Amino acid sequence: MAPSSPSPPTSRRTVRCTVRPPSLDIVESDVKIFRALILGELEKGQSQFQALCFVTRLHRNEIIPSEAMAKLRQKNPRAVRQAEEVRGLEHLHMDIAVNFSQGGLLSPHLHNVCAEAVDAIYTRQEDVRFWVEQGVDSSVFEALPKASEQMPLPRCGQVGDRGKPCVCRYGLSLAWYPCMLKFCHSRDRLTPYKCGIRSCQKNYRFDFYVPQRQLCLWDEDPPSW
């Protein structure tokens, strides 16, 4: 879990992914939080890092339970791992803001993980609908401005005025995460048994509204994947 007051990031884009594994508490377990810390660029007039949080629904079987990981041991825990499976790009349109002061009703980890992104916590309408059906108070969420035929919102990369609203895009890649359990066969056992973890790599692309182009200066940079 990310600390509440981390030291300044050492790379331009640092991504923290906090995932609640499936458990009996469906409201807490079905939440996945991505945190991105983006270093300011001096040539663009930035001096501080910027934080973003993206909150989405965690689907069943998307990641293996923490209880299963705790029972498995790595033979070489210090080895640098390469993902065994590369999963496709997921493009998400984040059209809802999460109220930080009420975020604990959605996940007890949100206040800690997203402490630097108080005004930049985003989610999707379809995920909100699911959480509200499970009992999360609707006051946690607030709709963001949408493009219309009368007022189309351009991509931030197409906007020259840094004070104008636009649709920002941020891409991140999870180079390695435990996505499935491995099962092995043995002559001494009638049924397969758990014998390891299968790792995956996955890319994400998030689109979201920002009130000023100044809050999305990186969008002029094309993703590397």
Side-chain angles (χ1 to χ4, degrees), residues 167-187:
V167 176
C168 184
R169 175 169 292 178
Y170 186 82
L172 62 84
S173 177
L174 293 182
W176 188 100
Y177 72 97
C179 53
M180 289 186 291
L181 289 172
K182 286 183 180 179
F183 290 87
C184 296
H185 298 268
S186 172
R187 295 179 180 178

Side-chain angles (χ1 to χ4, degrees), residues 40-217:
E41 299 183 46
L42 296 179
E43 65 273 16
K44 294 182 179 180
Q46 301 171 315
S47 58
Q48 300 293 325
F49 68 86
Q50 185 174 343
L52 302 171
C53 267
F54 303 105
V55 186
T56 64
R57 177 185 174 187
L58 176 65
H59 294 276
R60 301 295 181 181
N61 300 322
E62 187 175 347
I63 190 171
I64 67 175
S66 58
E67 295 82 2
M69 285 191 284
K71 296 178 181 179
L72 296 171
R73 297 181 180 179
Q74 295 185 23
K75 295 181 178 179
N76 301 303
R78 296 184 180 181
V80 177
R81 308 287 176 177
Q82 297 292 329
E84 299 168 85
E85 178 184 339
V86 178
R87 297 191 168 180
L89 171 69
E90 189 170 354
H91 193 170
L92 305 173
H93 299 274
M94 315 300 281
D95 51 359
I96 301 290
V98 177
N99 186 334
F100 179 78
S101 63
Q102 301 292 323
L105 299 175
L106 177 62
S107 168
H109 304 282
L110 191 138
H111 280 171
N112 187 33
V113 176
C114 300
E116 298 87 9
V118 173
D119 298 318
I121 308 174
Y122 305 97
T123 188
R124 301 185 298 169
Q125 180 64 50
E126 58 193 86
D127 294 330
V128 169
R129 191 178 300 113
F130 170 81
W131 291 323
V132 170
E133 289 176 354
Q134 301 303 318
V136 177
D137 196 292
S138 60
S139 64
V140 176
F141 311 104
E142 180 181 350
L144 291 169
K146 295 182 179 179
S148 64
E149 293 182 0
Q150 292 76 23
M151 294 186 62
L153 281 175
R155 279 278 309 277
C156 289
Q158 302 170 343
V159 175
D161 187 341
R162 293 189 177 185
K164 296 289 186 179
C166 54
V167 176
C168 184
R169 175 169 292 178
Y170 186 82
L172 62 84
S173 177
L174 293 182
W176 188 100
Y177 72 97
C179 53
M180 289 186 291
L181 289 172
K182 286 183 180 179
F183 290 87
C184 296
H185 298 268
S186 172
R187 295 179 180 178
D188 302 328
R189 300 190 184 190
L190 297 177
T191 59
Y193 62 95
K194 299 174 185 177
C195 59
I197 297 173
R198 183 173 179 81
S199 59
C200 292
Q201 175 185 338
K202 188 170 179 62
N203 296 324
Y204 294 86
R205 187 175 295 166
F206 300 96
D207 287 351
F208 55 98
Y209 168 88
V210 290
Q212 298 178 10
R213 170 74 172 91
Q214 176 69 25
L215 300 174
C216 185
L217 295 180

